[in-house]
Amino acid sequence: MNQVLSAESAMARAIECAHLGLGKTFPNPIVGAVITSATGEFISEGFHQGADHAEVVAIKAAKEIPVGSIIYVTLEPCNHQGKTPPCTEAIIDAGISKVVYAVTDPNPIAAGGTAKLRNSGIEVVAGLLESEAAFDNRAWITKIAKDRPRITWKIASTMDGKVAASDGSSKWITSELARADVAALRSQADAILTSTATVLADNPLLTSKGLGKNPVRIVMGEREVAPGSQVLNSDAETVVIKSHDFQDLISLAKEREFNQILVESGPTFGTALLKADLVDEVILFQAPTFFGSGTPSISDLGVATISQRLDFEIADVEVVGADLKITLIKSANHEESGR
């Protein structure tokens, strides 16, 4: 007997499916889809991973689609011809009777999906688990809203906010499990951004360590990077931006259509991004240890009084191995956070 899903359960599963597409879909959003019978019996599922859209993957995976079937999609079905035909046409041709989606597509190029479906006699319901689906798709939504990729800064520090001891040593502050989690985060990003200072000091590899695809590596700064640096090896593409002007970074990111950039750098470079209002999210790994002295995770932001503070909101707290993983998003007190 097939599993019977409530509407909320079906959409929650579609969101889980969408998450599997992180790092595989740019310039497109992550999208998941689940098809059930009219009475909620599971039929099939799918997610976008760079080729067919989620709706088409789920339709192709179904052995049959009985009359009255429902498709749950994390994003409003598109109504435009891009690399693939409109998803609205695939849904109509499949004989699906009802479409339930979470987030209305903010991209004007793909608009009109709901109207097309309703005009074809298909019932459409919008907004189911909207905030959950939007949060998972926040990188692409940020790109549409800001005309640049979402930028996330990863920090690994002690409980007292130090990223290196007084002698400059920093390997390893966090646990092996936390470092594996970072490798997974890299596989979900479209590009990894670091500075020439970090390359010269740490000689990082910046790959997913076999946990997924390797993102494009971006090294920014005016100093020369040694030809033998690990970041220049053949494991992934590396782009060197010989500049301190973040507009050069944004121009590259827009040209490449990245959805999400993960920053792995020291406090000077990360703080400069913060001061330029280019950090949308911080993922902070904190080890249960104290240095007392050493290098702080963030340099001087120029905050002279409490009213000038830079606020973030805690989106998630997780224990990873021996460490805390705290996800912080730009506070809605300053601008829309995307959640």
Side-chain angles (χ1 to χ4, degrees):
M1 182 177 179
N2 286 342
Q3 180 184 9
V4 177
L5 301 173
S6 67
E8 289 76 12
S9 296
M11 185 62 79
R13 177 56 190 163
I15 293 171
E16 290 176 359
C17 289
H19 192 82
L20 298 173
L22 281 171
K24 302 172 182 175
T25 67
F26 81 89
N28 296 324
I30 59 168
V31 184
V34 169
I35 300 175
T36 72
S37 69
T39 53
E41 290 184 305
F42 175 84
I43 293 174
S44 63
E45 65 187 21
F47 65 97
H48 179 45
Q49 44 188 318
D52 285 340
H53 289 190
E55 298 95 320
V56 175
V57 175
I59 289 168
K60 287 181 176 179
K63 293 180 179 179
E64 64 174 324
I65 297 178
V67 174
S69 292
I70 306 167
I71 188 167
Y72 296 85
V73 192
T74 57
L75 186 68
E76 179 183 11
C78 68
N79 191 43
H80 79 293
Q81 175 73 48
K83 293 180 181 178
T84 60
C87 292
T88 49
E89 290 185 5
I91 291 169
I92 294 165
D93 292 344
I96 290 170
S97 300
K98 183 176 180 180
V99 174
V100 181
Y101 69 83
V103 178
T104 299
D105 196 327
N107 188 353
I109 295 174
T114 295
K116 175 70 176 292
L117 292 168
R118 285 177 174 159
N119 289 339
S120 299
I122 295 174
E123 181 183 355
V124 180
V125 177
L128 180 63
L129 301 189
E130 179 179 11
S131 62
E132 292 87 345
F135 184 71
D136 231 35
N137 214 1
R138 63 195 182 276
W140 181 78
I141 290 173
T142 295
K143 186 175 76 169
I144 296 299
K146 296 186 176 182
D147 194 30
R148 65 161 176 81
R150 188 174 185 87
I151 298 178
T152 299
W153 183 17
K154 186 275 296 182
I155 301 172
S157 79
T158 62
M159 280 292 166
D160 53 343
K162 300 298 191 292
V163 295
S166 295
D167 66 355
S169 59
S170 61
K171 292 185 177 182
W172 296 101
I173 290 175
T174 54
S175 66
E176 185 176 348
L177 284 175
R179 298 196 298 275
D181 195 89
V182 171
L185 286 173
R186 290 173 186 161
S187 75
Q188 296 171 356
D190 305 320
I192 301 289
L193 172 65
T194 194
S195 66
T196 52
T198 296
V199 171
L200 292 169
D202 298 336
N203 192 24
L205 185 58
L206 300 181
T207 67
S208 68
K209 298 181 179 179
L211 296 179
K213 63 93 181 171
N214 290 326
V216 176
R217 299 173 293 198
I218 303 172
V219 181
M220 191 169 183
E222 295 182 343
R223 286 189 280 178
E224 292 294 330
V225 176
S229 299
Q230 290 194 108
V231 77
L232 297 179
N233 73 10
S234 60
D235 289 350
E237 178 188 359
T238 300
V239 179
V240 178
I241 303 176
K242 296 195 72 172
S243 169
H244 288 152
D245 186 348
F246 289 133
Q247 188 54 51
D248 294 333
L249 168 68
I250 299 304
S251 295
L252 170 70
K254 289 171 65 174
E255 179 185 334
R256 297 293 295 266
E257 299 185 285
F258 295 138
N259 290 346
Q260 180 164 242
I261 293 176
L262 180 66
V263 181
E264 296 195 48
S265 72
T268 301
F269 187 78
T271 300
L273 283 166
L274 270 176
K275 292 174 79 171
D277 196 27
L278 289 174
V279 177
D280 305 292
E281 186 169 332
V282 174
I283 297 180
L284 173 61
F285 290 87
Q286 281 192 303
T289 189
F290 299 86
F291 285 175
S293 61
T295 305
S297 59
I298 296 177
S299 303
D300 185 3
L301 283 169
V303 174
T305 181
I306 195 168
S307 63
Q308 297 174 326
R309 69 191 185 191
L310 183 59
D311 288 334
F312 280 69
E313 298 172 356
I314 296 175
D316 188 52
V317 178
E318 182 183 354
V319 176
V320 179
D323 308 309
L324 275 181
K325 177 186 177 184
I326 305 171
T327 301
L328 304 129
I329 57 176
K330 182 74 67 65
S331 174
N333 292 331
H334 292 282
E335 62 179 281
E336 185 62 37
S337 64
R339 186 173 190 183

